Every structure is written in structure tokens, then in C-alpha cells.
């Protein structure tokens, strides 16, 4: 009897017991769909980050205060390492840092903004006029912050496109309207074009931009002991991608000098580029993937034990059938392969249903989130199929072996 | 209806397959079977000598527990004797392993059971095809031969019925068609009419007798009913694991199949 015939026999036996077959598959269906859903969402997260970073341009350097290993950026630079507006100006000196063409310091925080009964939590970016040059964003309506605004510490604000949507009616002209930021009145001078991207997953469209000096003096009041303006981040736009390393070195040398760091001392800042950032997120994601794989493994084992359990019940229940098959000439290997194929088929069908369910679920769940959708990878599907077959094979062997060893006389007499 | 034969007469009326007198279908010498249950030993067979020739139709009778089923299982290559010699169609099967026994069952023996033993939720056609599957016959041949076998037992119009849509007698006919399908040398039936009423039992026995006469198939069956045993040319009486009596009868009309009938078989013999 060839594989085709064995498969046909197994299929017929499964079809003869549809309900039991369905119940057997349940464990695998749940396991595989959970795995596929989690993996697809994980992939979606990954893609989201990559998209966001690369949309900012690939020749951008980020200078953070403190060390990367020291925890979240907001806590960094308090004791060790502070970046100031003066540092930013220094990097902007083409004589010291020739490969950088634009520098944008930024101070970030959160604030509640309000206008005419609408309010909204937003991230506030305190920036200078050069922000536009470094990150290449344009104001769609009105204008961006100017050097004069920074100089005069004006209470002016440029809002993201989503913020405009929340605070204004579409037909309204926002220019010269006032909004409250943490209860302080600001004049709107521009609305940014839609961007959708930002560092660390923040949505640029949900941000507001205020002159850096205004933010420091009126909103967050961050100054160093010597009264200098502190910044959370400096963007440096490099002349071309192949000068990235040179620029990184130039900035590092400059800042070490400015911060009086001894020859063997550690940097109190970090200069990183897009790919460094992506690598860091890649590490986080692979940790997540490992965790998901563990869940996947456990659920598949649970599903496999379910299959083994039901297959054992099935062997007992079909003892007479096995006895009869043997009486009419089935050899051990015929019975073995029939039950093995049944188990693998159940696992495989369960796996396929799980894939459909998991992928559908993930896509449906993420369809409600803006700028983010699950990515169902072919590799995830292939792995799910392979794994469910392997589970069926592994957990089907013992019941199939038991069936194949049944003595036909005892089996035929079995009540 | 029958006249008694003496033991010396050649019991095989089948002149063509194989050559008469070459060897019998069943040849058993000093068969014993001992079941061990814990420290108790059950002697199910206590030395059985038995020879059954081609084309015979033999009934096995005897009280419950006398070892009839045990003997049938050994004859049917479902079990092996504890001691003794058993030759089926000239080949010693005592020395064979599981797989070889399965092959012999597939090629030479058809079984009919008291409780029919059809696969549930499976059509009559598919049930009849089952032995061919394990004999490695291709799909189209299987289909054709199963249809012919069902025709032979008079169930042309029940091919697509499942066991629960058939009467007991019809189910037993399907089982007989299944036993026939591999053109076995031997059909073994352990109480084939045990679950049937008198009228249906007679129909089933008529069918078996017809197969024996027209197809030349050797048939051995167990029964408790003396009237059912009447269908046979030979009745073996069992008691306490031994043959107590071996009665032979000769039908008044010569019922031996001619080679003419054999040639009209619906399928070729291997
Ligand atoms: N698997 C077994 N294990 C232990 N003892 C067995 C086994 N099979 C049969 N026996 C015993 O062997 C003896 C003969 O049993 P067997 O089934 O051959 O009787 P039988 O003549 O077919 O009876 P019945 O007419 O009731 O079917 C009985 O005493 C029975 O208990
Ligand atoms: Mg019995």
C-alpha cells in the first residue's frame, strides 16, 4: 500500500469522525493562531520602527546626553552628562565639524494643550529654526519657528497636522489663533505637513513645536547650574552617508573637549546614527521574538499532547476496526502509517486553520491602529506548517505504535 | 439429503485447483493451545488433528468453551498454536512472523464474523474493497471487483449504503462479499448466523453453500445450530479442546464444481 492509499484511508477515517477530528485539532488551532498573531504583530512593530527611522533620512546623527546603558533618556544626563544649547552651537561650527551641514537641538516633554473646550496631551518639542534643515520638515500652513522667535523667547507654536485636526475645524484658519499649553497662552504661527514619523515611535503629527528657549523658560525650566539651556537631544545632519563616521568622530572630539573629559575618561554623551538605533531596537525585538518562540513552543506542545491524548482514545475506541483491518491483511506498518498520517493530517489542518485565524485576527486587530499594521510573514507561515506537522508526527508515533501492535484476536473480541 | 462417506474417500472434489490430492487446504497435527492467565493455565486445545481438503464445506460444533473459536483463529492465521504443526495450502505457517501471517490472511483467507465487523460510517462498497487495499490492488480494479462481489451476494442496489442503513442479513452479505473479494482458498466463519433469525440464517447459509458449490471455495464455519450444520458435507464435533467426532456426508446430487463453473468466475484466480 503506497503513501497515497495510506493517506486516503487516513482521510476517510478522519471524515468518518468529524466532530472528534475537529476537537483534536483545537489545541493546535489555538496554539498556531496565537503564534501567528503574535509574530505578525511583532513584525508589524519592527516595520513600524524601521519606517519611522528611515523616513527621517539616513544621514542623521543623534547626540544624546549620558550613556545609552544608563536607562531611559529622560533620567539620563542629570548627574552625568548634560548637553546644552552651547554644545549645539559648537557642533554647528563648520571649522570644527566640517561634515555636519545642519544642527538642531531639541528639548522634549509632554504638555496638555487646550482650545475652545478641546484638549489633548501632546509631546512638546522645543526646537530652533535649524530643526527644519536637519529633519527636513515643512510647515504646510504659516511658517516655522525663526531665529528671532528663539532669540525673543516668543510664545509661538507650530502644531502637527493631527493637533490641528483636534483643536480646529477643517475650515478654520489657525494662524494667529491662541491655544493654551499647560495653561499658558501661545500664538499659532504654523501647521506642519503630515509626517507620521518620529524618534522612538512618537508621532510627529501629534507634536507641537515651540522655540527652545521659550520651552526652557516657561514650560520646563531646565537650566544647568551655570544657567545654560539644557537640551535633550541634538540632531546633526551629515553632508553625505559616507561621511557619517567622520562626522561622528568630529562631534565626539569636540564634545569631549568642551566637557573637559580626560584622555581615558568615558564619554558623557553618545553619538549614534540610524543603523545604531535600529540595531538597539533589533535587540529588543529579538528578545521579544525569543519570548514569542517560547510561547509558541509551549502552545504547540500542549496542542501535541492534545493530539496524542485523542489519538490514544481513538485507538482504544477503534480497537475492533484495527482488529478487522489486520484480519483482512493489514500489516503492522499499514496500521502504523494510517494512524500516523491521521495524526499529522489533524495537526496540519489544525495548523492551517490556526494560520488563517491568527493572521486574520492580527490584521483585524491592528487595522484600528493608525500607521501600524500586522505583517504576516511567509516564513512564519512556513514555520507554523512545519512545526504542526512535526508535532503531529512526534505525538502521533506512540498511539500509532500502540495500534500497530494490537493483537487481531484480542482486538476483534474487544467490546 | 446426505449420505455418509468413509474416511478413505478423497474429500476434495475439486479437480483443477490445485491438482487433486496434491495437498489439502488445512493440515493440522497435534495442535495444542494453552492460555496462561496469572498462574492459571487454560488448555483451549488439547491435541487436534485435522485435515480439510479443497472444496469442502465443514461445520464445527460443540459446547461453549470447547475450543472452537481457538481452532478457527489458528486455522485463520490470526493466532499460532502453542505446540503442533499447521500447514495452510501446503505451507507451514507455524514458523511465520506477524507480517507474513498478515500476507497469508490477505491472499488466502476470508473471514466472516458473528457480529459482521463492518467499518461503521463506511459504505458497503468501501467495506468490501478493504482487503484489496492491503493486497495492493489499484483503485479501479478494487472498485470493479467489489461491485462484482456485491453482485454475487445480491446487493447490487445497496453499494452506497452504510452498515447502519442495512439489515443484519444484508450486513452479513456485505461481510461475505468482503471475505470473497480476494478469491481466497478458504472462508472461515465463526458463528456467521449467530446474530440472525432463522429465515435470514437460511438465506446466508444458502449463499455460503452456493459459493462453495459454484466457486469451489473451501468453507469452515462454527455453529451451535444442528439445522445450520445440515448444509455441510462434514461436521466436526468438539469437546474439551478435542475432536470428539468427525462426520462426513456426501450429497446425493453431485455438487462438486466443474472446471466450467470455475472458468465463469467473475475474476481471474492468481
Ligand atoms: N485470550 C484468552 N485468554 C485466556 N483464555 C482464553 C482466551 N481465549 C479463549 N480462552 C479460553 O479457552 C477456552 C476455549 O475458548 P473458545 O473461545 O475457543 O471456545 P468456543 O468453543 O469458541 O466457545 P463459544 O461457543 O462460547 O464461542 C475457553 O475456556 C476460554 O475461556
Ligand atoms: Mg467461540
Amino acid at each position: 500500500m503506497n503513501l497515497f492509499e495510506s493517506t486516503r484511508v487516513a482521510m476517510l477515517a478522519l471524515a468518518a469522525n468529524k466532530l472528534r477530528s475537529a476537537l483534536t485539532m483545537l489545541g493546535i488551532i489555538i496554539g498556531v493562531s496565537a503564534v501567528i498573531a503574535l509574530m505578525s504583530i511583532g513584525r508589524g512593530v519592527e516595520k513600524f520602527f524601521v519606517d519611522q527611522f528611515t523616513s527621517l533620512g539616513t544621514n542623521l546623527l543623534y547626540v544624546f546626553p549620558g550613556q545609552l546603558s544608563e536607562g531611559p533618556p529622560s533620567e539620563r544626563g542629570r548627574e552625568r552628562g548634560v548637553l546644552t544649547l552651547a554644545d549645539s552651537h559648537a557642533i554647528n561650527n563648520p571649522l570644527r565639524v566640517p561634515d555636519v551641514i545642519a544642527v538642531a537641538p531639541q528639548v522634549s516633554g509632554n504638555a496638555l494643550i487646550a482650545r475652545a473646550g478641546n484638549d489633548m496631551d501632546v509631546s512638546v518639542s522645543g526646537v530652533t529654526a535649524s530643526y527644519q534643515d536637519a529633519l527636513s520638515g515643512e510647515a504646510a500652513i504659516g511658517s516655522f519657528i525663526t531665529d528671532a522667535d528663539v532669540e525673543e523667547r516668543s510664545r509661538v507654536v507650530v502644531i502637527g497636522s493631527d493637533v490641528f485636526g483636534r483643536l480646529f475645524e477643517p475650515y478654520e484658519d489657525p494662524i494667529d489663533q491662541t491655544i493654551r499649553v499647560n495653561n499658558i497662552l501661545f500664538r499659532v504661527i504654523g501647521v506642519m505637513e503630515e509626517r507620521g514619523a518620529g524618534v522612538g515611535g512618537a508621532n510627529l503629527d501629534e507634536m507641537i513645536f515651540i522655540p527652545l528657549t521659550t520651552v526652557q523658560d516657561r514650560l520646563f525650566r531646565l537650566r544647568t547650574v551655570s544657567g545654560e539651556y539644557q537640551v535633550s537631544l541634538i540632531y546633526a545632519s551629515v553632508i553625505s552617508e559616507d561621511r557619517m563616521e567622520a562626522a561622528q568622530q568630529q562631534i565626539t572630539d569636540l564634545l569631549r573637549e568642551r566637557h573637559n573629559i580626560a584622555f581615558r575618561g568615558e564619554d558623557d554623551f553618545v553619538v549614534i546614527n540610524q543603523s545604531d538605533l535600529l540595531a538597539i531596537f533589533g535587540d529588543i525585538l529579538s528578545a521579544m521574538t525569543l519570548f514569542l518562540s517560547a510561547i509558541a513552543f509551549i502552545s504547540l506542545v500542549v496542542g501535541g499532547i492534545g493530539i496524542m491524548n485523542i489519538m490514544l482514545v481513538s485507538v482504544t475506541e477503534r480497537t475492533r476496526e484495527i482488529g478487522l483491518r489486520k484480519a483482512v491483511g493489514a500489516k503492522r506498518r499499514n496500521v502504523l502509517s494510517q494512524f500516523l498520517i491521521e495524526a499529522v493530517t489533524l495537526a496540519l489542518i489544525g495548523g492551517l486553520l490556526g494560520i488563517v485565524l491568527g493572521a486574520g485576527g492580527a490584521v483585524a486587530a491592528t487595522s484600528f491602529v493608525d500607521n501600524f499594521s500586522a505583517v504576516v510573514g511567509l516564513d512564519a507561515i512556513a514555520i507554523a506548517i512545519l512545526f504542526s506537522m512535526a508535532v503531529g508526527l512526534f505525538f502521533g508515533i506512540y498511539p500509532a505504535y500502540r495500534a500497530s501492535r494490537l493483537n487481531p484476536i484480542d482486538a476483534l473480541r474487544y467490546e | 439429503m446426505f449420505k455418509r462417506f468413509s474416511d478413505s474417500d478423497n474429500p476434495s472434489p475439486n479437480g483443477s485447483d490445485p491438482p487433486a490430492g496434491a495437498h489439502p487446504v488445512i493440515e493440522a497435527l497435534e495442535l495444542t493451545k494453552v492460555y496462561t492467565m496469572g498462574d492459571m493455565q487454560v488448555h483451549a486445545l488439547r491435541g487436534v488433528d485435522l485435515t480439510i481438503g479443497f472444496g469442502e464445506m465443514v461445520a464445527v460444533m460443540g459446547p461453549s468453551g470447547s475450543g472452537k473459536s481457538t481452532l478457527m483463529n489458528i486455522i485463520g492465521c490470526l493466532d499460532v498454536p502453542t505446540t503442533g504443526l499447521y500447514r495452510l495450502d501446503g505451507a507451514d505457517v507455524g514458523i511465520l512472523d506477524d507480517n507474513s501471517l498478515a500476507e497469508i490472511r490477505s491472499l488466502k483467507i476470508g473471514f466472516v464474523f458473528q457480529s459482521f465487523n463492518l467499518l461503521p460510517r463506511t459504505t458497503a462498497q468501501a467495506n468490501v474493497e478493504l482487503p484489496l487495499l492491503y493486497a495492493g490492488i489499484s483503485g479501479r480494479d478494487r472498485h470493479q471487483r467489489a461491485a462484482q462481489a456485491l453482485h454475487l451476494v445480491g446487493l447490487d442496489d445497496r453499494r452506497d449504503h452504510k452498515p447502519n442503513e442495512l439489515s443484519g442479513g444484508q450486513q452479513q452479505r456485505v461481510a461475505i462479499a468482503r471475505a470473497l473479494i480476494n478469491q481466497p482458498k478458504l472462508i472461515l466463519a465463526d458463528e456467521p448466523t449467530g446474530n440472525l433469525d432463522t429465515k435470514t440464517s437460511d438465506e446466508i447459509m444458502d449463499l455460503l453453500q452456493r459459493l462453495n458449490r459454484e466457486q469451489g471455495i473451501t468453507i469452515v464455519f462454527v455453529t451451535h445450530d444442528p439445522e445450520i450444520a445440515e448444509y455441510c458435507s462434514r461436521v466436526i464435533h468438539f469437546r474439551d479442546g478435542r475432536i470428539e467426532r468427525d462426520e462426513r456426508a456426501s450429497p446425493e446430487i453431485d455438487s462438486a464444481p466443474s472446471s466450467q463453473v470455475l472458468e465463469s468466475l467473475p475474476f481471474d484466480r492468481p
Side-chain angles (χ1 to χ4, degrees):
Chain A
M1 204 163 68
N2 58 27
L3 188 69
F4 173 73
E5 290 292 358
S6 309
T7 309
R8 212 179 61 91
V9 170
M11 293 298 178
L12 287 175
L14 290 181
N17 286 290
K18 290 188 189 66
L19 180 63
R20 194 186 51 205
S21 304
L23 288 175
T24 313
M25 282 182 230
L26 214 55
I28 289 278
I29 294 178
I30 292 170
V32 169
S33 60
V35 170
I36 289 282
L38 291 172
M39 276 179 85
S40 305
I41 291 173
R43 281 290 161 73
V45 170
E46 193 177 340
K47 183 170 180 298
F48 178 73
F49 279 123
V50 171
D51 285 354
Q52 299 234 310
F53 284 123
T54 49
S55 74
L56 287 175
T58 46
N59 54 350
L60 201 59
L61 287 177
Y62 303 78
V63 187
F64 287 107
Q67 285 287 319
L68 262 193
S69 54
E70 282 175 24
S74 57
E75 287 167 21
R76 237 184 269 144
R78 293 280 156 84
E79 290 112 12
R80 302 183 53 195
V82 169
L83 288 177
T84 64
L85 198 55
D87 286 328
S88 167
H89 289 316
I91 296 171
N92 207 10
N93 179 355
L95 294 176
R96 283 304 308 271
V97 189
D99 286 317
V100 167
I101 51 168
V103 178
Q106 179 181 317
V107 56
S108 318
N110 294 307
L112 182 71
I113 59 171
R115 175 183 180 263
N118 294 322
D119 57 17
M120 183 180 187
D121 276 307
V122 292
S123 340
V124 180
S125 288
V127 295
T128 62
S130 58
Y131 180 88
Q132 255 188 314
D133 307 329
L135 284 99
S136 59
E138 297 268 321
I141 309 172
S143 57
F144 199 69
I145 291 156
T146 61
D147 287 331
D149 292 327
V150 177
E151 197 79 8
E152 292 162 15
R153 285 173 264 163
S154 325
R155 283 183 291 161
V156 293
V157 60
V158 176
I159 58 179
S161 58
D162 285 355
V163 178
F164 171 73
R166 284 285 291 273
L167 297 189
F168 295 90
E169 299 299 332
Y171 52 82
E172 277 182 292
D173 179 7
I175 305 302
D176 289 336
Q177 300 283 332
T178 51
I179 62 171
R180 288 175 182 277
V181 179
N182 282 359
N183 256 334
I184 302 166
L185 286 173
F186 279 78
R187 185 167 56 90
V188 177
I189 57 166
V191 179
M192 295 301 282
E193 61 184 2
E194 240 183 274
R195 290 289 294 280
V199 176
N203 187 344
L204 285 178
D205 297 336
E206 289 176 2
M207 275 188 185
I208 60 171
F209 301 89
I210 293 176
L212 190 135
T213 47
T214 317
V215 170
Q216 299 292 46
D217 285 347
R218 299 183 183 274
L219 288 175
F220 305 144
R221 298 181 201 290
L222 280 175
R223 295 246 194 163
T224 64
V225 269
S226 54
E228 282 191 89
Y229 289 113
Q230 202 174 310
V231 299
S232 359
L233 165 65
I234 300 170
Y235 300 100
S237 183
V238 180
I239 190 155
S240 68
E241 245 178 284
D242 52 319
R243 298 300 296 166
M244 293 294 273
E245 273 184 40
Q248 251 169 310
Q249 193 56 51
Q250 290 156 13
I251 293 171
T252 305
D253 291 345
L254 172 74
L255 289 181
R256 284 179 71 90
E257 194 183 308
R258 286 181 56 83
H259 294 187
N260 296 320
I261 296 167
F263 172 60
R264 285 188 179 281
E266 299 255 334
D267 293 350
D268 62 354
F269 57 90
V270 268
V271 186
I272 55 177
N273 58 34
Q274 301 275 0
S275 43
D276 294 335
L277 272 181
L278 283 180
I280 294 164
F281 279 104
D283 287 349
I284 297 170
L285 282 171
S286 39
M288 206 165 96
T289 308
L290 200 71
F291 173 68
L292 291 185
S293 313
I295 293 179
F297 185 72
I298 291 168
S299 54
L300 283 173
V301 167
V302 170
I305 290 172
I307 286 195
M308 177 151 92
N309 187 19
I310 306 243
M311 288 307 290
L312 282 174
V313 171
S314 171
V315 168
T316 311
E317 202 179 279
R318 287 154 70 191
T319 299
R320 280 175 83 92
E321 175 192 326
I322 296 163
L324 174 80
R325 286 180 185 274
K326 288 196 146 192
V328 301
K331 295 182 178 150
R332 276 183 190 170
R333 69 180 134 86
N334 297 137
V335 176
L336 187 85
S337 62
Q338 178 188 334
F339 278 83
L340 213 49
I341 291 172
E342 279 185 32
V344 172
T345 305
L346 283 174
L348 193 61
I349 296 176
L352 292 175
L353 287 177
I355 289 170
V356 171
L357 218 67
V363 169
T366 53
S367 68
F368 299 108
V369 187
D370 290 342
N371 297 323
F372 178 69
S373 58
V375 179
V376 185
L378 274 181
D379 52 347
I381 290 175
I383 289 171
I385 290 175
L386 278 179
F387 259 86
S388 32
M389 279 180 75
V391 161
L393 202 62
F394 182 79
F395 289 98
I397 281 177
Y398 178 64
Y401 176 78
R402 280 257 299 249
S404 75
R405 301 294 295 201
L406 280 178
N407 174 341
I409 309 165
D410 296 341
L412 280 170
R413 218 187 350 231
Y414 184 84
E415 295 301 334
Chain B
M1 188 178 177
F2 296 114
K3 93 171 189 271
R4 301 289 165 200
F5 258 143
S6 83
D7 256 336
S8 58
D9 286 311
N10 184 352
S12 169
N14 187 339
S16 64
D17 179 20
H23 53 72
V25 189
I26 291 171
E27 199 178 8
L29 276 175
E30 279 299 310
L31 289 187
T32 69
K33 183 74 188 179
V34 183
Y35 292 108
T36 310
M37 304 179 69
D39 23 74
M40 205 178 72
Q41 287 202 325
V42 181
H43 292 264
L45 295 182
R46 298 169 185 269
V48 173
D49 295 324
L50 181 64
T51 305
I52 295 176
F54 281 95
E56 278 196 274
M57 181 150 171
V58 180
V60 178
M61 296 189 73
S64 188
S66 56
K68 305 181 296 294
S69 294
T70 306
L71 177 71
M72 294 291 272
N73 288 339
I74 293 173
I75 291 175
C77 295
L78 286 167
D79 204 354
V80 287
T82 309
T83 65
L85 181 78
Y86 173 45
R87 280 206 199 95
L88 176 70
D89 196 18
D92 188 353
V93 295
I95 52 171
L96 297 177
D97 63 6
D98 259 27
N99 278 341
S100 313
L101 289 177
E103 203 165 311
I104 288 187
R105 291 198 294 272
S106 166
L107 295 177
K108 299 192 174 173
I109 303 168
F111 291 95
V112 178
F113 305 93
Q114 178 175 357
S115 49
F116 321 136
N117 274 327
L118 299 177
L119 294 185
R121 296 177 288 269
T122 308
T123 62
Q125 170 86 27
N127 264 294
V128 174
E129 281 183 28
L130 196 63
L132 294 180
L133 204 64
Y134 297 111
I137 309 288
S138 78
R140 235 184 64 234
D141 284 2
R142 282 206 301 270
H143 202 77
Q144 210 179 340
R145 280 166 67 168
Q148 284 170 340
L150 280 169
H151 171 74
L152 215 62
V153 299
L155 284 179
D156 277 311
D157 51 346
R158 294 287 188 276
R159 262 188 244 168
D160 297 324
H161 287 232
K162 294 175 179 158
N164 59 350
E165 301 158 355
L166 295 170
S167 73
Q170 286 169 333
Q171 289 187 55
Q172 196 61 300
R173 280 166 190 270
V174 174
I176 290 171
R178 182 180 62 195
L180 273 176
I181 191 85
N182 262 344
Q183 304 142 45
K185 299 253 189 301
L186 179 63
I187 286 184
L188 296 174
D190 197 344
E191 302 189 44
T193 58
N195 284 7
L196 302 174
D197 60 42
T198 319
K199 183 168 162 289
T200 321
S201 295
D202 282 338
E203 284 168 16
I204 292 295
M205 288 318 297
D206 281 336
L207 175 61
L208 286 176
Q209 192 171 49
R210 190 158 61 85
L211 292 172
N212 172 252
R213 289 186 179 171
E214 291 176 8
Q215 313 277 335
I217 301 171
T218 311
I219 296 179
V220 180
F221 69 93
V222 173
T223 184
H224 284 283
D225 184 344
E227 277 183 38
I228 296 292
E230 284 285 288
Y231 282 88
C232 294
S233 52
R234 186 173 167 194
V235 181
I236 293 169
H237 293 269
F238 243 76
R239 187 175 292 277
D240 284 339
R242 285 194 185 89
I243 294 177
E244 184 188 46
R245 206 145 39 87
D246 189 346
E247 295 178 343
R248 286 164 185 279
S250 150
E252 273 149 16
I253 321 137
D254 182 21
S255 64
S258 64
S259 33
Q260 186 95 48
V261 178
L262 273 173
E263 271 152 26
S264 71
L265 275 176
F267 23 70
D268 303 322
R269 284 190 168 269

